[in-house]
């Protein structure tokens, strides 16, 4: 089940407002789609669909998969959304699908907190990759301890959302029991004083742990790159599917 921030319609509707409109973190994925000559892309954990729609705008055949109906509703209203096939569900829905490239951006690869969830997702991805296809995803480097900045002082934001008004947001760290980290996002809607919260748990896997899991899934690692928008803080894995 998706976290409330993606599943609650009111939170999903303002989700994009707290990110830069340019979303520079997605640019490397667009570049890799061209680098690898990918004409078809499956975007897992699609959220509000920014990457899927940008890929569709480039003429790619795109399938966006997400378990949160509210986020998919937001995605469906974006430009070029009509060129994307939207699937409400998880990676289990990849059975029978094929693509040249499968992506998991943001924190998606870290929401699979159990070994079985992660292994199952990798197996589904491998099964959906065409010969020579690639799986690309990013994770935070656990040695950088990103959660140390997950507090109100360092995370507070206030934005003006269209037709909604002022919305405040911040993050509070709830628990660190490595490899699991749990945090809460709080949203305050000024117009009616509503306060909504969403709790999330991420798993921080080491670089070697992820490489081992990819090897076990028969997805050999082709490259591990830096994330341009967070240099030195994340790993971007590129794994190759069956030849």
């Amino acid at each position: 089940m998706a976290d409330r921030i993606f599943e609650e319609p009111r939170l999903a509707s303002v989700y994009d407002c707290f990110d830069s409109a340019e979303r520079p973190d997605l640019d490397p994925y667009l570049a890799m789609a061209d680098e690898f000559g990918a004409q078809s892309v499956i975007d897992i954990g699609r959220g509000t669909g920014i990457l899927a729609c940008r890929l569709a705008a480039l003429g790619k055949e795109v399938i966006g998969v997400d378990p949160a109906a509210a986020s998919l509703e937001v995605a469906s209203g974006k430009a070029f959304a009509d060129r994307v096939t939207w699937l409400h569900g998880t990676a289990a829905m990849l059975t029978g699908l094929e693509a040249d490239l499968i992506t998991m951006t943001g924190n998606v690869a870290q929401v699979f907190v159990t070994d079985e969830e992660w292994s199952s997702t990798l197996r589904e991805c491998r099964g959906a990759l065409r010969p020579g296809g690639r799986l690309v995803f990013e994770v935070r480097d656990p040695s950088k301890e990103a959660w140390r900045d997950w507090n109100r002082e360092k995370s507070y934001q206030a934005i003006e959302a269209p037709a909604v008004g002022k919305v405040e947001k911040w993050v509070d760290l709830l628990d660190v029991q490595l490899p699991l980290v749990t945090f809460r996002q709080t949203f305050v809607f000024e117009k009616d004083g509503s306060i909504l919260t969403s709790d999330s748990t991420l798993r921080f896997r080491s670089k070697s742990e992820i490489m081992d899991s990819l090897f076990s899934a028969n997805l050999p690692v082709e490259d591990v790159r830096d994330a341009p928008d967070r240099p030195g803080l994340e790993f971007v894995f590129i794994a190759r599917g069956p030849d």
Side-chain angles (χ1 to χ4, degrees):
M1 182 175 179
D3 294 340
R4 194 182 185 198
I5 189 173
F6 305 112
E7 196 66 81
E8 164 61 47
R10 197 170 187 186
L11 295 181
S13 70
V14 300
Y15 182 86
D16 292 337
C17 299
F18 288 95
D19 284 318
S20 165
E22 290 76 26
R23 287 297 301 271
D25 59 307
L26 299 179
D27 291 344
Y29 291 89
L30 296 168
M32 281 188 279
D34 286 335
E35 176 186 348
F36 302 140
Q39 292 303 309
S40 56
V41 183
I42 296 175
D43 195 16
I44 299 175
R46 204 29 11 238
T48 56
I50 294 178
L51 177 60
C53 291
R54 289 181 67 180
L55 286 165
L58 296 176
K60 309 295 184 184
E61 178 185 332
V62 186
I63 297 174
V65 183
D66 200 280
S71 291
L72 289 177
E73 180 66 24
V74 173
S76 68
K78 287 184 165 60
F80 301 100
D82 59 330
R83 302 185 187 179
V84 179
T85 298
W86 304 104
L87 298 180
H88 180 212
T90 66
M93 299 190 73
L94 270 57
T95 301
L97 301 179
E98 289 186 329
D100 302 317
L101 177 67
I102 298 177
T103 58
M104 290 188 283
T105 63
N107 295 323
V108 172
Q110 293 185 246
V111 304
F112 306 104
V113 297
T114 70
D115 290 336
E116 178 51 37
E117 286 176 317
W118 180 234
S119 297
S120 175
T121 298
L122 294 180
R123 288 195 300 269
E124 296 289 354
C125 288
R126 185 186 185 282
L129 283 173
R130 290 185 174 132
R134 291 168 176 86
L135 166 65
V136 180
F137 62 90
E138 65 189 71
V139 295
R140 296 173 186 263
D141 180 352
S143 71
K144 305 304 181 181
E145 300 183 335
W147 55 85
R148 291 187 178 275
D149 291 335
W150 295 353
N151 54 63
R152 178 166 180 164
E153 180 182 4
K154 293 186 176 182
S155 65
Y156 179 85
Q157 292 177 269
I159 55 93
E160 287 289 334
V164 174
K166 182 179 179 181
V167 184
E168 298 173 276
K169 170 193 171 185
W170 65 88
V171 179
D172 290 306
L173 185 63
L174 299 182
D175 189 41
V176 179
Q177 296 289 333
L178 293 178
L180 303 182
V181 177
T182 301
F183 59 97
R184 173 173 294 156
Q185 298 183 73
T186 299
F187 297 79
V188 179
F189 292 79
E190 183 180 76
K191 183 174 292 186
D192 62 4
S194 296
I195 300 176
L196 302 180
T197 62
S198 176
D199 293 356
S200 302
T201 298
L202 300 179
R203 177 160 176 172
F204 283 74
R205 295 177 173 87
S206 68
K207 182 179 180 180
S208 61
E209 185 180 2
I210 291 176
M211 293 185 74
D212 287 345
S213 67
L214 288 167
F215 178 80
S216 296
N218 200 15
L219 288 164
V221 176
E222 186 173 78
D223 197 6
V224 182
R225 302 180 182 179
D226 201 10
D229 63 310
R230 294 189 180 113
L233 300 178
E234 297 186 356
F235 302 119
V236 179
F237 284 86
I238 302 171
R240 195 173 182 89
D243 290 321

